[in-house]
Amino acid sequence: MHMLMNILPEIKLLELKTLIGMHQSMSLVANATQQLWSKFKPRVGEVQSRRNEDFISLQIYPPDYFIEFNPLRAFEKWALVETEAATIAPEGMDIINLPGGLYAVFNYKGNSNDTRIFQYIYTQWLPASNYVLDSRPHFEVLGPAYIHNDTNAEEEIYIPIKNK
């Protein structure tokens, strides 16, 4: 049994956040995350009024995505940074206002390509918790300790929840 299967989240109430970046429709099977980030990262310096140095990888899933799970099903993936509310997006980028709300925040350390943490969250932690998924964006905060494809990479996984 892998260590991550004992991770308990911190429950946080988030305020609205203003994010700027790029997005693309994709599925788990036709995953274009690498291409999305390779378009966004070289241009991140064009974004004014960044609130911190973190990057945010965000997913917007269709309402019944987790009820009728299918790895071929499309969702919207975003590569983002957090900015001040009044910031204007550079050409070719979009603004997304992340609604506030309750999130289960998992501090994950390991390779981002290892999906077992998500299997644990959705099939073990969530059903045993006092929460259900809420239909808001899911996202990961990739801070200074995040290194792509590194087994020591650290990220915070934010799962939108509401009381059962």
Side-chain angles (χ1 to χ4, degrees):
M1 186 52 86
H2 195 271
M3 285 285 292
L4 64 81
M5 301 316 155
N6 299 321
I7 295 177
L8 289 176
E10 185 180 339
I11 306 302
K12 290 185 181 178
L13 182 61
L14 294 190
E15 302 286 318
L16 179 126
K17 292 180 183 289
T18 301
L19 309 172
I20 291 181
M22 296 177 171
H23 59 98
Q24 186 171 334
S25 182
M26 63 183 73
S27 70
L28 292 175
V29 172
N31 191 327
T33 302
Q34 195 64 43
Q35 295 91 310
L36 177 62
W37 280 100
S38 64
K39 278 194 306 194
F40 178 60
K41 277 262 181 111
R43 293 193 55 207
V44 75
E46 298 172 37
V47 177
Q48 301 296 309
S49 306
R50 277 182 77 178
R51 295 199 67 193
N52 52 50
E53 292 301 306
D54 295 341
F55 287 92
I56 295 174
S57 178
L58 180 141
Q59 297 74 232
I60 299 175
Y61 297 105
D64 59 350
Y65 184 86
F66 292 96
I67 297 164
E68 300 169 23
F69 179 74
N70 176 345
L72 296 168
R73 190 138 178 238
F75 59 89
E76 194 74 21
K77 177 85 158 201
W78 290 74
L80 300 154
V81 292
E82 185 177 356
T83 64
E84 298 299 332
T87 308
I88 295 165
E91 191 171 330
M93 294 187 202
D94 293 299
I95 295 174
I96 182 170
N97 287 311
L98 179 68
L102 213 54
Y103 279 87
V105 183
F106 294 83
N107 288 310
Y108 174 66
K109 185 174 182 176
N111 192 317
S112 59
N113 291 329
D114 183 348
T115 58
R116 290 178 297 178
I117 182 67
F118 292 102
Q119 290 169 351
Y120 162 73
I121 291 169
Y122 298 123
T123 65
Q124 293 176 40
W125 178 81
L126 192 61
S129 76
N130 295 321
Y131 304 99
V132 291
L133 280 180
D134 199 358
S135 58
R136 288 177 284 124
H138 297 227
F139 65 96
E140 296 82 46
V141 174
L142 313 175
Y146 177 79
I147 304 141
H148 181 64
N149 277 343
D150 190 301
T151 52
N152 293 313
E154 294 178 33
E155 62 186 282
E156 292 178 333
I157 298 169
Y158 284 73
I159 307 295
I161 54 173
K162 60 186 176 185
N163 290 315
K164 276 186 179 166

